[in-house]
Amino acid sequence: MEPNIKEVAGRIRALREDLDITMQEMADATGRSVAEYAAQESGEQDLSFTFLYKCAQRLGVDVIELLTGEDPHLSGYSLTRAADGLSIKRRAGFEYLHKAPHFKNKLAEPFLVTAPYLEEEQDRPIHLSYHKGQELDFVISGRMRFAYEDHVEELEAGDLLMYDSGRGHGMIATGGEPCVFLAVVMKPNGEII
């Protein structure tokens, strides 16, 4: 299931209005100008996972509620089979498959991520993202170039990264093929996601 951008943007706008939060406050919370934020809230621009995550945090909801319009409802355990999950296609062909979309009060967000190999990215600086908390990335297949501020690491299947995601980080697939990795996004100080 792939969320519809216009529907997700509409949920963000409705929640913002219901909570009497200004566009300026949301722009500040997401690290964008008011014009950039307005373009995303209107559904005119694609919504990155980092943007959605920061919106959910400011609005006090689970990111799954923004994506699906439903509250996660499982509390004991959640089983998601190999090919299942909530598909999120964002950021230049990156595919995120949320592996526990129905589990509520999560301390972490688990994603199976497929980063496409793009020849044009190989000699460019890697785009850096920022979100509070920590992230763990475990490479399942392919190769990855990981940038953390001004450090660059080359990774392959079996390698694991854990880092402060509040600092600039980003990755691209290398080696001529997509890179598949498990990404676990954790909020700071055990806050519920």
Side-chain angles (χ1 to χ4, degrees):
M1 176 174 116
E2 173 68 24
N4 178 297
I5 292 172
K6 290 278 190 191
E7 290 175 8
V8 174
R11 283 191 278 277
I12 292 169
R13 184 188 69 251
L15 277 168
R16 179 184 61 75
E17 290 172 351
D18 284 351
L19 296 169
D20 290 324
I21 298 171
T22 67
M23 276 199 181
Q24 180 66 59
E25 290 173 289
M26 289 300 290
D28 292 345
T30 59
R32 283 152 176 76
S33 70
V34 172
E36 291 168 333
Y37 175 80
Q40 291 191 295
E41 185 186 89
S42 70
E44 301 300 316
Q45 289 184 359
D46 199 10
L47 310 174
S48 71
F49 179 74
T50 300
F51 174 79
L52 292 169
Y53 183 82
K54 288 179 177 181
C55 283
Q57 189 173 18
R58 177 62 183 95
L59 296 167
V61 298
D62 191 295
V63 72
I64 300 305
E65 187 174 341
L66 294 181
L67 293 169
T68 67
E70 299 176 17
D71 265 333
H73 54 277
L74 299 175
S75 60
Y77 75 95
S78 173
L79 171 64
T80 305
R81 299 290 181 186
D84 295 337
L86 178 63
S87 177
I88 307 166
K89 292 180 169 93
R90 299 286 177 261
R91 197 185 135 210
F94 272 61
E95 292 184 26
Y96 295 80
L97 190 61
H98 195 297
K99 297 303 285 183
H102 303 296
F103 193 78
K104 67 180 181 179
N105 299 326
K106 291 182 280 298
L107 298 177
E109 298 279 356
F111 296 93
L112 184 63
V113 181
T114 302
Y117 175 81
L118 299 172
E119 183 64 40
E120 63 272 15
E121 289 185 337
Q122 302 305 304
D123 295 319
R124 282 196 226 150
I126 296 174
H127 170 77
L128 301 180
S129 296
Y130 305 80
H131 52 89
K132 289 181 183 175
Q134 296 179 342
E135 188 166 331
L136 179 146
D137 296 337
F138 178 78
V139 180
I140 296 168
S141 65
R143 300 178 66 81
M144 171 197 296
R145 180 170 301 130
F146 173 77
Y148 188 78
E149 296 180 331
D150 42 341
H151 301 279
V152 176
E153 301 286 349
E154 301 288 335
L155 292 90
E156 58 188 36
D159 291 345
L160 181 138
L161 286 163
M162 188 158 180
Y163 50 93
D164 175 352
S165 54
R167 295 168 65 182
H169 63 281
M171 64 280 295
I172 61 169
T174 61
E177 63 184 16
C179 179
V180 178
F181 60 99
L182 176 67
V184 180
V185 178
M186 298 162 279
K187 285 191 68 169
N189 304 318
E191 293 174 26
I192 302 296
I193 296 177

